[in-house]
Amino acid sequence: MLFNILPDPQTLNAVQGEHSASLVLLSWLVALAASYAGLDIIKLVSKGSQPAWRRAWLWAGASAMGLGVWSMHFIGMHAYRLDFPVSHAPVPTLLSIIPAILGSFSAMWVLSRDAPSHRALLLAGLALGAGIGVMHYSGMAAMRAPAELYHVLDLFLVSLLVAIGLGMLSVYAYRLCQHEWGMQRARTCAFIAALCVSIAVCGMHYVAMQAAWFLPLPDATPSISPASHWIIFLIGGVGVLTALLALIAASVQRRLQASERHEHMTHTRLLEVVSSLQDSVILLDEQARIRLCNASFERQVGLRSDQLMGLSVSQLAYAEDSHTLSQHIRRALDKKGQWGGMITALRSDGNGFPAWLSVSRVTYADSDDRDYVALLSDRSEEQQAQQRIRYLAYHDMLTELPNRRALQEHLAGFARQHPSPDAHAFLALLDIDRFKMLNDSLGQDIGDELLRQLGRRLQQWSGARLYVARLDGNEFALVGELASRDPAGIEREAQRQINAMQASLTADYQLQGHTYPCRLNVGVLVFCPHEDLPAAQLFKRAGLALLEAKRQRDGEAQFFQQAQEDELEDRLTLERELKHAIDHDELCLHLQPQVDAHRQVIGAEALVRWQHPERGMISPGRFIPIAEETGLILPLGHWVLKEGCRLLGEWRHQPACCHLKLSLNVSVRQFQQPDFADQVLAVIQQYDAPPERLTLELTESLLLSDPDGTICKMQQLQQRGVSFALDDFGTGYSSLAYLKLLPLDTLKIDITFVRDLTLDMQATPIAATIVALAESLGLGVIAEGVETEDQRLVLANLGCRIYQGFLFGRPVQPESFSKAIQCHQDK
């Protein structure tokens, strides 16, 4: 049919046909399937490694897509019904497939490129749309019918615009999806683009058919064009089958490519991976001949890979005594199938280095051959790191001297080095006197500098017979051998060495412009290495000698004496037993009476006593200092407070004792507790003790620590009726101004003044002064330690009317005290 333009279809008796809806849908589905098949191949084309294969797959995909587009057109033409018979010229109809294939090829070629430009994408869309348009109109030109074909110009142009516009949209849709999702979702991109292509083909076809008008010839016989269903389904089936075959072929090709990549990875790339390893890797056959090695092993032995292939490892000096090592490895492989251990490997220049060698047997699933793989790891850095760690573990970083741990191990091996029973050595511990003051005054940097310089001087003494170390802080140690075998000369030799060392170490130090005359405290232990005493025992004994040197502070070295250890152990034992005695109520109170001028008992002082089940009665002068040093004075003082209040609570129900006062001694540390006043009031309430009968005796040292807090607590208790006495007055250095402010009730004249009243002419004026001071302040006064009648008479003449001492009664248990009071009243 000729191509004619019809300006106005109404001017002629032109007619149009009708479309079958089911065949229209079928045509669209064929176009969609073919377009998807063609566009899905794009990923395969982009991943192809050979140009010939890329072109082959391009043409295959374009052919499948073009055939599908052509099949859609062909089915659409057969879905068109006219009132006269219509046929198609075979050759022109078949040739109309060429534009569709060429347009599809252009679009696929551009989309398979990595980064096509916008110009290329526009041209690809134009080519695709033009191919669809040319295919359609060339196919219509192949129609044979008794009518003339006319096209309405505006719809004709619209059909071309639909084809070209949707073609460009299809190309950009695929590219946009590919850019956002990548090639991993290429099939989704292909489906979206195929949807656009199928809409473009169908849209162009059916818009173009609306533009077509047929003018029957005068001799045309009206009849209904028969529906050629068999050829429709044949062409549709061919199109779909072609698309399906293209998809199957593409899937198979992808699997082949994946398999090829995997094989490439397991061979070529495996060699590259092995070659990149820092450790040496060698593959050997059963005769220990090299089949494969990496670059690290080549560098180690200084030979290329082609020189090593087929060479037996027995011909290589890869380690010290490699021949013996190879035999040992061979026996282990025959027995266990593997071997591993540290060796000294050799480089090509003959230098050795520590390395870990592991050899394992390799068995294959598809062969009886057996190979062996060896892995050689350089452990030089690891060994250096271990050596550094060991150095840090056994040395002090500031002075670079050995530390306590190194000294302990040295002492542990001392007995093996000196097995002779008459050999002797010494352990000296020394520290810098007043080192904390140096740090506080000049700064820690100056202190560190002093430690470094002292360490360097000690290093000069270090040698075969003298071992030096820094223990911690400013404490150092020396272990020296003694050549003397004479018991009398052993300590003299140690003294000479220590004196010479001290003379060197105490010379002036220059510390950043400051001259510092260093003084040392030195404690020395002479011991026999043959006795093999534990290092802890040696340190303890030398430490006791150092503690004595710190107490003396005369710069002289102090040697350990066994009495020091015995005293320490006894002290520790006593501390432990005292805690047990407090917890299990093994202590007791003894009461010493306090009498007035008529020798009438007006009260008592409670004195704590400890009746040890094995040691017997232990003096308070022995265990009270220990309690104060260890903090046990707090539970001890609380026990005394509770026991005293318990007695007062019992006395209030005894007519003979209800008028008596009870004095309890309170330590400074106990009184300084923030809740001391609350504790006293709680105990008084617990035992229903009359507070006006309770007197707490304080010492003068309390006034120097916290006078304001002391006054506040005293006033709080005094308001409840509790009385206060100042014990041992005159022996301390308390201020009379503080004494005036304290809410005291009584002053106690110390026993040291009372004892000398009849012997020392100065004691009497002091006692008189205390009595006069008490009277001026409105305080009572008690003299303690009165043992003779002459002492009492002197005190009475001075104005003292209350006494306490052996003259009136020794301390006794509360039961005996109560009975004595009762008996005295019965008389």
Side-chain angles (χ1 to χ4, degrees):
M1 284 186 165
L2 297 177
F3 186 83
N4 301 305
I5 296 298
L6 182 63
D8 184 7
Q10 302 301 326
T11 59
L12 300 174
N13 294 323
V15 296
Q16 285 185 312
E18 296 179 354
H19 286 90
S20 171
S22 59
L23 293 179
V24 169
L25 178 61
L26 176 62
S27 67
W28 176 73
L29 292 175
V30 171
L32 178 62
S35 301
Y36 173 75
L39 292 173
D40 183 57
I41 294 177
I42 293 177
K43 180 181 178 182
L44 194 63
V45 175
S46 63
K47 294 296 182 181
S49 58
Q50 298 179 359
W53 277 105
R54 288 169 57 90
R55 288 192 295 269
W57 280 107
L58 270 175
W59 282 112
S63 299
M65 185 173 175
L67 178 60
V69 171
W70 180 84
S71 299
M72 178 272 152
H73 166 75
F74 190 84
I75 295 172
M77 293 299 296
H78 281 76
Y80 197 64
R81 297 291 184 264
L82 291 168
D83 294 337
F84 44 82
V86 179
S87 62
H88 300 272
V91 175
T93 301
L94 291 175
L95 291 177
S96 64
I97 196 174
I98 296 176
I101 294 175
L102 293 176
S104 301
F105 180 86
S106 300
M108 292 178 62
W109 179 72
V110 171
L111 292 175
S112 65
R113 294 162 61 181
D114 292 335
S117 63
H118 285 288
R119 182 173 178 271
L121 292 174
L122 289 174
L123 292 176
L126 179 61
L128 179 62
I132 295 172
V134 173
M135 179 272 302
H136 174 80
Y137 286 108
S138 60
M140 291 193 67
M143 293 176 62
R144 299 292 182 263
E148 291 184 6
L149 176 60
Y150 291 88
H151 290 86
V152 178
L153 182 59
D154 52 354
L155 290 178
F156 168 73
L157 295 176
V158 169
S159 67
L160 293 179
L161 289 176
V162 169
I164 295 173
L166 291 178
M168 293 181 178
L169 177 63
S170 302
V171 171
Y172 269 97
Y174 184 90
R175 184 58 186 170
L176 179 62
C177 295
Q178 184 188 55
H179 178 73
E180 292 294 329
W181 298 333
M183 294 302 292
Q184 297 298 324
R185 300 179 64 179
R187 292 186 176 181
T188 304
C189 301
F191 179 79
I192 294 174
L195 189 63
C196 295
V197 172
S198 63
I199 294 174
V201 175
C202 291
M204 187 275 163
H205 178 85
Y206 292 109
V207 171
M209 293 307 294
Q210 284 298 112
W213 291 82
F214 294 90
L215 182 62
L217 298 176
D219 56 350
T221 302
S223 64
I224 299 176
S225 177
S228 303
H229 291 289
W230 67 271
I231 195 169
I232 292 173
F233 291 114
L234 176 63
I235 295 301
V238 170
V240 173
L241 181 61
T242 302
L244 183 60
L245 291 175
L247 290 174
I248 293 174
S251 178
V252 172
Q253 182 62 23
R254 288 193 185 94
R255 290 181 178 273
L256 291 175
Q257 287 180 348
S259 177
E260 183 181 352
R261 286 195 301 272
H262 179 71
E263 182 179 357
H264 181 68
M265 178 61 187
T266 57
H267 182 68
T268 304
R269 294 193 178 179
L270 179 60
L271 295 178
E272 294 177 358
V273 170
V274 171
S275 180
S276 66
L277 294 177
Q278 297 298 319
D279 297 335
S280 297
V281 180
I282 312 101
L283 184 65
L284 308 169
D285 62 13
E286 286 194 287
Q287 285 73 40
R289 293 175 299 197
I290 298 175
R291 297 185 58 187
L292 173 68
C293 64
N294 65 349
S296 178
F297 186 70
E298 296 175 22
R299 290 192 297 270
Q300 178 187 336
V301 299
L303 297 174
R304 300 189 309 274
S305 177
D306 56 347
Q307 295 175 311
L308 291 170
M309 292 301 102
L311 196 64
S312 175
V313 292
S314 60
Q315 300 176 260
L316 299 174
Y318 65 92
E320 290 183 354
D321 197 9
S322 57
H323 180 70
T324 303
L325 178 62
S326 298
Q327 291 180 345
H328 180 67
I329 294 174
R330 170 62 71 179
R331 289 193 295 269
L333 292 175
D334 292 339
K335 185 177 181 180
K336 299 181 181 179
Q338 61 181 5
W339 182 89
M342 289 293 298
I343 66 170
T344 301
L346 298 177
R347 295 188 175 90
S348 58
D349 56 4
N351 292 327
F353 62 95
W356 176 268
L357 175 63
S358 61
V359 186
S360 303
R361 182 187 296 144
V362 180
T363 58
Y364 301 101
D366 57 350
S367 174
D368 295 333
D369 295 338
R370 291 192 304 179
D371 289 337
Y372 298 89
V373 60
L375 181 65
L376 186 69
S377 302
D378 187 351
R379 299 294 176 86
S380 300
E381 293 184 0
E382 180 180 336
Q383 188 179 74
Q384 293 173 0
Q386 290 177 349
Q387 292 174 350
R388 179 62 177 170
I389 292 172
R390 180 175 178 81
Y391 181 84
L392 294 175
Y394 285 90
H395 287 79
D396 169 58
M397 287 296 95
L398 181 63
T399 63
E400 298 186 355
L401 292 175
N403 59 11
R404 180 183 293 272
R405 181 178 181 182
L407 179 60
Q408 289 174 337
E409 294 192 4
H410 178 76
L411 289 172
F414 215 56
R416 294 189 297 271
Q417 300 172 12
H418 304 81
S420 176
D422 58 349
H424 282 79
F426 70 88
L427 169 63
L429 300 183
L430 57 93
D431 70 357
I432 302 171
D433 191 34
R434 303 176 70 188
F435 180 74
K436 185 178 184 302
M437 182 176 292
L438 173 69
N439 268 345
D440 293 342
S441 60
L442 298 181
Q444 189 171 351
D445 291 343
I446 299 294
D448 289 346
E449 179 61 25
L450 174 60
L451 294 175
R452 279 191 290 267
Q453 292 189 25
L454 180 59
R456 286 195 290 269
R457 294 188 186 185
L458 283 171
Q459 284 281 20
Q460 298 174 0
W461 287 86
S462 178
R465 299 176 63 86
L466 189 63
Y467 189 87
V468 300
R470 182 192 178 196
L471 302 184
D472 51 37
N474 67 325
E475 188 172 339
F476 296 81
L478 300 93
V479 177
E481 303 176 20
L482 297 173
S484 178
R485 297 294 186 265
D486 179 17
I490 289 174
E491 186 168 324
R492 288 196 300 270
E493 182 185 354
Q495 184 72 62
R496 286 195 301 270
Q497 292 195 33
I498 295 298
N499 289 342
M501 176 206 66
Q502 278 187 284
S504 169
L505 297 179
T506 56
D508 289 350
Y509 291 82
Q510 296 299 322
L511 306 176
Q512 299 182 14
H514 300 275
T515 300
Y516 184 74
C518 178
R519 292 186 57 184
L520 299 177
N521 301 312
V522 183
V524 185
L525 168 69
V526 176
F527 66 99
C528 178
H530 180 72
E531 296 178 359
D532 197 18
L533 292 175
Q537 182 78 357
L538 299 178
F539 277 116
K540 184 185 77 170
R541 293 180 174 181
L544 290 174
L546 177 62
L547 187 62
E548 181 62 26
K550 290 180 179 180
R551 282 197 291 261
Q552 297 293 337
R553 296 191 65 182
D554 56 2
E556 297 293 330
Q558 297 294 322
F559 283 77
F560 168 76
Q561 305 296 330
Q562 184 60 44
Q564 296 171 347
E565 186 174 33
D566 296 341
E567 180 184 354
L568 176 64
E569 291 179 356
D570 184 65
R571 190 179 185 86
L572 293 175
T573 302
L574 199 63
E575 176 187 342
R576 183 176 62 255
E577 292 177 346
L578 177 60
K579 185 178 186 305
H580 182 273
I582 296 172
D583 294 339
H584 294 81
D585 291 330
E586 294 182 2
L587 302 176
C588 61
L589 288 182
H590 282 199
L591 304 181
Q592 187 173 30
Q594 295 174 340
V595 300
D596 58 13
H598 305 289
R599 295 179 181 263
Q600 297 295 318
V601 178
I602 61 173
E605 180 181 0
L607 303 173
V608 64
R609 294 293 184 264
W610 181 10
Q611 182 66 39
H612 194 279
E614 297 177 359
R615 301 171 185 253
M617 183 65 69
I618 300 178
S619 169
R622 188 177 178 190
F623 68 82
I624 293 296
I626 294 178
E628 290 179 345
E629 291 178 9
T630 60
L632 291 175
I633 195 65
L634 295 179
L636 176 60
H638 192 68
W639 180 87
V640 171
L641 178 64
K642 290 175 61 177
E643 188 67 12
C645 290
R646 184 186 66 80
L647 286 175
L648 285 174
E650 293 178 355
W651 285 356
R652 70 181 304 168
H653 303 294
Q654 300 176 11
C657 300
C658 62
H659 66 285
L660 299 179
K661 283 192 172 186
L662 183 64
S663 297
L664 302 178
N665 291 283
V666 177
S667 69
V668 175
R669 190 168 181 179
Q670 182 183 6
F671 192 89
Q672 287 176 340
Q673 297 298 304
D675 60 342
F676 173 75
D678 295 333
Q679 292 180 23
V680 173
L681 296 176
V683 173
I684 289 175
Q685 183 179 6
Q686 179 182 356
Y687 294 102
D688 194 21
E692 65 276 3
R693 300 296 177 185
L694 176 63
T695 300
L696 299 181
E697 295 190 5
L698 310 178
T699 60
E700 288 189 61
S701 59
L702 184 65
L703 305 179
L704 301 176
S705 56
D706 182 18
D708 295 335
T710 300
I711 293 172
C712 180
K713 293 173 186 175
M714 292 176 66
Q715 289 176 344
Q716 183 180 353
L717 291 173
Q718 201 172 51
Q719 290 173 0
R720 301 294 296 271
V722 178
S723 302
F724 288 94
L726 188 59
D727 195 13
D728 302 332
F729 181 73
T731 60
Y733 303 93
S734 59
S735 170
L736 294 180
Y738 285 141
L739 184 63
K740 180 180 179 182
L741 294 175
L742 288 176
L744 292 169
D745 298 284
T746 306
L747 292 182
K748 294 189 73 173
I749 302 176
D750 188 73
I751 188 174
T752 57
F753 303 121
V754 175
R755 184 185 300 117
D756 297 335
L757 282 176
T758 59
L759 302 175
D760 188 354
M761 297 299 295
Q762 295 180 351
T764 301
I766 294 175
T769 302
I770 295 175
V771 173
L773 178 64
E775 290 178 354
S776 66
L777 294 176
L779 304 177
V781 61
I782 299 178
E784 61 180 356
V786 181
E787 299 179 356
T788 66
E789 182 64 25
D790 292 340
Q791 293 173 349
R792 188 195 69 79
L793 290 174
V794 173
L795 290 169
N797 293 331
L798 294 177
C800 180
R801 300 291 181 265
I802 302 176
Y803 317 103
Q804 175 184 339
F806 289 170
L807 179 63
F808 311 102
R810 292 179 177 272
V812 295
Q813 294 182 353
E815 295 80 5
S816 301
F817 180 83
S818 298
K819 289 180 180 179
I821 297 296
Q822 183 67 42
C823 292
H824 181 74
Q825 288 190 353
D826 292 342
K827 293 180 182 180

